[in-house]
Amino acid sequence: MVDPLIACGDVWLVGAGPGDPDLLTRKAEKLIRAASVVFYDALVGPGVLDLVPDYVRRVAVGKRSGRHSKEQGSINDLLVEAALAGERVVRLKGGDPSIFGRSMEEMAALTDHGVRVRICPGITAASAAAAAAGVSLTLRGFARRLQFVTAHARAGETLDLDWQALADPGATLAVYMGRAAAPEIARALIAHGMAADTPALVVINASLPDELMLRTRLDLLPFAVETIADEAPALLLIGQAVAGAGEAKRDHSRIAADGDVAWR
């Protein structure tokens, strides 16, 4: 007998990708359609949620900085409760569940209760942002290494990061949730040796119709972020590999008066 894609009492942590439903994996879509309940994050794109059948129960468990609808412990409890009740559970997470998705906390809670849990990967925001900008996250001779970090910190706390390693001129730095921390990020990277004119890219809502990109440089990063009215989380890409961002669409860009920041 063939094992069903998702059995009663199973939990799948599913990567919803950056928001565009066309970037969802085929397996992710099959799991969404096979579920009896879907717990979804705030960053899951509306087009992805439209794929959830009407007969499938939806539960919003989204968390955004300063606006948590559910604490992590409560989310863990909901997943365990649904699985033990025999539901076919999909936990839908923006991007890839294994990149700043707190997947291990949920997996630990589930396995402690004897629940089988598996992961379906998704496209992470950094990949979607680079693709939309027409740049590569790595570049021979300039960026042979890629570093992912999150700038999310509790209120009142400073970022506890290895700035010396992050300031590597031979790497591309992808900073998730980087809007509020942009001034601190720019100061710390420059203080640890990264050139002030290092190319930087700010991306909001990568892959969605309201996608926004700002091309700038490291020392002007705080200014660039301040120009964004949208409250959505910002992804920052910093390094020589992103130098070409927007070049192919220069004729359709607005250039700031100082010529150092451009946006679409």
Side-chain angles (χ1 to χ4, degrees):
M1 181 177 178
V2 177
D3 187 32
L5 185 61
I6 178 168
C8 295
D10 277 2
V11 175
W12 276 87
L13 308 184
V14 176
D20 181 352
D22 287 342
L23 295 179
L24 197 69
T25 67
R26 293 176 63 188
K27 185 169 186 175
E29 183 172 358
K30 290 177 182 178
L31 286 165
I32 290 170
R33 297 191 183 280
S36 63
V37 59
V38 172
F39 296 89
Y40 64 94
D41 280 345
L43 295 179
V44 173
V48 175
L49 288 177
D50 287 343
L51 298 175
V52 180
D54 292 339
Y55 55 81
V56 175
R57 184 164 61 96
R58 303 183 190 187
V59 181
V61 292
K63 295 185 294 181
R64 285 199 178 183
S65 181
R67 303 198 305 272
H68 290 192
S69 65
K70 298 285 185 183
E71 295 298 329
Q72 187 61 52
S74 298
I75 296 172
N76 296 348
D77 292 342
L78 287 171
L79 295 175
V80 170
E81 180 182 5
L84 295 181
E87 299 259 28
R88 300 183 305 279
V89 183
V90 162
R91 171 70 168 103
L92 203 53
K93 294 174 174 285
D96 182 280
S98 299
I99 299 179
F100 308 123
R102 303 186 75 168
S103 295
M104 294 309 297
E105 296 175 46
E106 295 176 6
M107 293 183 73
L110 290 161
T111 55
D112 284 348
H113 288 81
V115 175
R116 183 168 70 160
V117 55
R118 288 172 283 180
I119 295 176
C120 176
I123 294 176
T124 190
S127 295
V135 301
S136 176
L137 291 171
T138 60
L139 186 63
R140 185 172 61 178
F142 290 94
R144 304 181 69 175
R145 191 157 64 91
L146 174 61
Q147 304 184 96
F148 288 171
V149 298
T150 177
H152 178 68
R154 293 191 178 97
E157 292 185 355
T158 57
L159 294 178
D160 183 18
L161 299 173
D162 185 350
W163 295 111
Q164 191 64 53
L166 296 179
D168 180 2
T172 300
L173 177 60
V175 184
Y176 289 67
M177 309 296 287
R179 178 198 292 269
E184 182 181 355
I185 291 167
R187 284 194 302 269
L189 291 175
I190 293 172
H192 285 81
M194 184 173 279
D197 63 353
T198 299
L201 184 68
V202 183
V203 184
I204 306 290
N205 297 324
S207 84
L208 294 175
D210 56 349
E211 174 184 274
L212 174 66
M213 294 187 202
L214 293 92
R215 177 168 51 87
T216 184
R217 42 187 267 175
L218 183 58
D219 57 350
L220 296 176
L221 184 60
F223 164 75
V225 170
E226 286 180 1
T227 67
I228 303 172
D230 194 308
E231 293 185 357
L235 177 87
L236 312 179
L237 295 178
I238 303 168
Q240 294 300 327
V242 303
E247 289 297 320
K249 301 180 180 180
R250 178 178 293 277
D251 292 342
H252 303 289
S253 298
R254 292 176 55 195
I255 307 298
D258 60 10
D260 289 318
V261 180
W263 58 96
R264 289 208 320 251

